Amino acid sequence: MNAAIYLSHPGVLSAVGDGLAATVAALLSPWPPQLSQSEAWVHGRNLPVGAVNQALRPFAPEVPPGLSSRNNQLLWHALAAVEPQIEAAKQRYGAARVAVVLGTSTSGVDENIAAFQHVVGGGGWADSGFGQPHQLLSSPAEFVQWQYGLGGLAYVISTACTSGARALISAARLLRAGLADAVVCGGVDCLSLLTVNGFAALEVLSDDTATPFASGRRGINIGEAAAVFVATREQAHPQDLCLLGYGASSDAWHMSSPRPDGAGAVQTLQAALANAALHPHDIGWINLHGTGTELNDSMESTAVAQCFGAATQCTSTKPYTGHTLGAAGALEAALVWGMASRADNPNGQLPAQYLPAGYDAALPPLALTASGSHWPAHRRIGLSTSFAFGGNNSALIIGEPAEDVC
C-alpha cells in the first residue's frame, strides 16, 4: 500500500458557497439548486451559469499586473482558508520544499478581450493594451509562488475537465518521489467567453438547470470556481483526510466525445481502487462527473455500473455548482472531503441528486442519492470522477485514514 498523502481542510469558492462550511450546508439544503441566469455570455440566449457573484478578496497593490486577473482573484479568495497551512509548511520544511501544482483551462485569457476588440476595430497591437502574461496557463502557479514566497517546483496542468484532479495526482507523485514536502494543489477556472461559446458551438449547453442522468437531459451549465489544498506526507491536523488513491488514463477516442463503452473510465476506476488497495464495497459515495450531456452520462453510468454495480451511492453535484471545467476535479474532490469530514458533516448526510424528470431508464441503474441519504456506518471513503476532452480520465479516492496510518 502507498504511504498516506494527507489533504488539509480545503479552501473552496463556487456559485454554491464561499468556504467549505457554507458549501456543505448548501449541498445538504432541501431546496433545489438555483444558478443565476445571464444573457452576457452567448448572444441571444439567457443561460444558467454557476457564477460567483460576491465581492472577492482584493489583491495587494504590489501584485504584478501580469498576475492580476479574475481567475487569479478567485484563487486568491479561496487561498485565504489555507494560508495558515501554507505558512506552517514553509516554517516546517522551508520555502524551497513547498511546491505548487494547479489546474486551469482559462487562466487570464479574458483579460485581453478589450485588446482583441481594439485590433478588430482597426487599432494596432502596440497601443491595444495586450498583456501576454495573462494568456499564460502557468499564471495561477506563478501567482501562488509570488504571493507566498515559495521556491519549490511550480506548474499548471491543463487537461480540460480533469485538470484539477490531475493536479492532486501530481501533488501526490511529487511527495512520494521526494521532490517536495508539501504541495499547494487544486484548480481554478473563471467564466470565459471563450469556453462558454465553445460549449455553445458544440450544442451541449442547457437553457435550464442541468439534470444529469435524467430522462430528457439537455446538457450542461458552465460555472466558475477555485478549490485548493495543502498536501503533505505527514498529518498536520487531526482532522486532515487522505488522498487514498487515484487512477488516470487516456483512451483518445474522440476530440470531444467520450468512448461510448466507458472502457477508459473503467480502467481509471479500477486503477484508483488498486492504487488505494481498496475494493468497490469500501467506497461509500461517488461524486460523479455527471455533466448532463447524453454521451457523458451514458458512458459514465455504464462504467460505474460495471465497476460498482447498483449499490454504491452516487451524486452529480454539477446542478449546484455548474461545470467548472479546469477547477471541477479539485472542486469535486473538496466536496468529497467536506462530505467525508465528521467535523464538517457530523450527521453524515449526502447531497440529493437533482432529478426532477426522473432517471433515464435507458441507462444502467445507479444508486443515485435522494433526500435523507447518508454515509454507510463504516469508515467514510468517497470517490470523485473526472472526464475530459480527448478521452482523458481521472478518479480520486478521498477519505478517512486507516487506523494503521493515523
Side-chain angles (χ1 to χ4, degrees):
M1 179 189 251
N2 287 317
I5 299 298
Y6 291 94
L7 296 174
S8 69
H9 194 281
V12 182
L13 175 67
S14 74
V16 82
D18 179 6
L20 191 63
T23 299
V24 169
L27 290 174
L28 298 179
S29 166
W31 306 109
Q34 291 291 324
L35 300 181
S36 57
Q37 297 285 138
S38 177
E39 298 178 353
W41 299 102
V42 178
H43 180 70
R45 296 181 70 179
N46 186 23
L47 293 170
V49 292
V52 174
N53 293 316
Q54 68 183 71
L56 299 177
R57 181 163 68 142
F59 287 127
E62 61 271 21
V63 170
L67 296 178
S68 179
S69 67
R70 177 172 174 79
N71 203 56
N72 282 350
Q73 197 172 13
L74 290 171
L75 176 61
W76 173 232
H77 193 97
L79 281 163
V82 297
E83 281 179 354
Q85 295 96 313
I86 294 173
E87 294 301 329
K90 283 175 62 180
Q91 291 297 316
R92 179 166 177 77
Y93 305 116
R97 296 291 298 171
V98 181
V100 182
V101 187
L102 297 168
T104 194
S105 67
T106 60
S107 197
V109 63
D110 278 19
E111 306 299 324
N112 280 321
I113 287 176
F116 288 117
Q117 290 174 335
H118 174 81
V119 174
V120 169
W125 283 109
D127 62 347
S128 69
F130 177 77
Q132 190 265 350
H134 289 308
Q135 304 288 122
L136 299 178
L137 290 170
S138 59
S139 179
E142 291 174 2
F143 170 74
V144 174
Q145 268 204 320
W146 177 87
Q147 186 67 55
Y148 297 106
L150 305 179
L153 292 165
Y155 56 93
V156 165
I157 293 172
S158 189
T159 52
C161 307
T162 59
S163 302
R166 292 272 179 161
L168 269 66
I169 293 172
S170 289
R173 289 171 172 165
L174 290 179
L175 291 166
R176 287 176 173 150
L179 296 173
D181 293 316
V183 185
V184 181
C185 55
V188 58
D189 250 354
C190 61
L191 284 165
S192 165
L193 283 170
L194 176 68
T195 49
V196 177
N197 282 275
F199 280 95
L202 291 171
E203 300 182 344
V204 293
L205 291 186
S206 175
D207 291 309
D208 303 304
T209 300
T211 56
F213 306 101
S215 176
R217 61 191 179 277
R218 292 187 286 179
I220 69 177
N221 314 132
I222 303 297
E224 60 184 354
V228 62
F229 303 82
V230 176
T232 55
R233 289 185 297 270
E234 300 175 318
Q235 189 172 22
H237 189 280
Q239 294 179 351
D240 288 351
L241 299 180
C242 283
L243 176 57
L244 298 166
Y246 47 81
S249 70
S250 183
D251 51 52
W253 173 259
H254 184 272
M255 184 179 291
S256 60
S257 298
R259 178 167 167 158
D261 64 4
V266 168
Q267 181 183 20
T268 296
L269 294 169
Q270 292 175 340
L273 289 168
N275 183 258
L278 294 171
H279 300 286
H281 62 78
D282 295 318
I283 305 299
W285 179 55
I286 301 174
N287 189 330
L288 299 162
H289 189 59
T291 62
T293 67
E294 285 288 333
L295 296 179
N296 174 87
D297 294 2
S298 175
M299 176 279 294
E300 186 170 18
S301 59
T302 298
V304 171
Q306 181 174 331
C307 293
F308 293 93
T312 303
Q313 299 180 99
C314 309
T315 319
S316 168
T317 52
K318 286 185 172 66
Y320 297 85
T321 64
H323 189 352
T324 61
L325 306 179
L331 173 63
E332 288 157 21
L335 300 186
V336 173
W337 198 107
M339 291 300 159
S341 167
R342 295 182 189 267
D344 291 275
N345 184 18
N347 295 325
Q349 294 174 263
L350 291 171
Q353 179 65 51
Y354 180 61
L355 204 65
Y359 189 71
D360 184 350
L363 302 178
L366 296 178
L368 294 179
T369 52
S371 178
S373 293
H374 284 74
W375 283 98
H378 54 73
R379 179 181 167 200
R380 294 183 186 178
I381 301 175
L383 183 145
S384 180
T385 60
S386 299
F387 305 112
F389 287 168
N392 197 299
N393 313 300
S394 297
L396 304 172
I397 297 178
I398 294 170
E400 296 175 319
E403 290 183 4
D404 60 354
V405 298
C406 290

